[in-house]
Amino acid sequence: MIERGKTSRAQLLDMCRSHDRYLIFPEGTRRAGTPGSDLPVALAGVGGLKNIWESRRDALVVITANKERIVNERHGRASYNTTLYRARAAAPVRPSEHATFEEFHAALEATWRETWARAYALRDECERGGRVAPYLAAGGRNSAASRLGKTPASKEMM
């Protein structure tokens, strides 16, 4: 676990190299409840991203819309009937395909923005009633009951 202000970059790199997979929330991307929070932000902070590059791990971008509707710390509210909309990049961004960190970062940034746009477009389209994800029509955990607020649901777009 990373402890802000205590975990050094060298320690973080060692942690990254010791695992096949790990999860990083890029710096400055958590801003639910702020104006424009549906718009993608630049991947300005390079800390964790630099560790992905240095540990030579592929980066798979996954964006989930509506997380901020589950827990609202500011208003002390939690929701159990929140539908999440997730988009994931078609392919990982591979450090091995880029000669420099700057090239890797630019490719990751482009993938991040495209995936972010798809996640929020899916949410907007579904919440306007214009689309039902194909697997929702088939039933199961993400069935019509989920869409009616009877159970939590997750909708995904590749």
Side-chain angles (χ1 to χ4, degrees), residues 92-103:
V93 179
R94 294 180 167 81
S96 61
E97 295 175 356
H98 303 281
T100 66
F101 171 72
E102 291 72 23
E103 288 177 17

Side-chain angles (χ1 to χ4, degrees), residues 59-125:
L60 180 62
V61 176
V62 178
I63 304 292
T64 305
N66 281 0
K67 296 181 308 292
E68 66 281 0
R69 294 182 185 173
I70 296 172
V71 175
N72 185 321
E73 296 171 13
R74 179 178 291 166
H75 295 104
R77 200 171 50 220
S79 170
Y80 295 97
N81 291 317
T82 301
T83 300
L84 300 175
Y85 301 91
R86 184 175 51 231
R88 123 183 114 206
V93 179
R94 294 180 167 81
S96 61
E97 295 175 356
H98 303 281
T100 66
F101 171 72
E102 291 72 23
E103 288 177 17
F104 172 73
H105 189 273
L108 196 54
E109 175 83 30
T111 302
W112 173 270
R113 287 181 174 280
E114 187 272 333
T115 307
W116 185 297
R118 285 189 303 110
Y120 281 88
L122 175 64
R123 181 202 65 185
D124 293 346
E125 188 175 353

Side-chain angles (χ1 to χ4, degrees), residues 26-48:
E27 299 167 42
T29 61
R30 201 179 148 198
R31 56 196 182 102
T34 61
S37 60
D38 288 358
L39 302 173
V41 295
L43 296 177
V46 298

Side-chain angles (χ1 to χ4, degrees), residues 4 10-11 13 37 42 52 57 66 74 77 90 95 115 123-124 139 144 146 155 157:
R4 285 193 179 273
Q11 290 171 312
L13 181 57
S37 60
I52 293 171
R57 300 288 190 243
N66 281 0
R74 179 178 291 166
R77 200 171 50 220
T115 307
R123 181 202 65 185
D124 293 346
S146 296
K155 297 174 182 162
M157 173 186 269

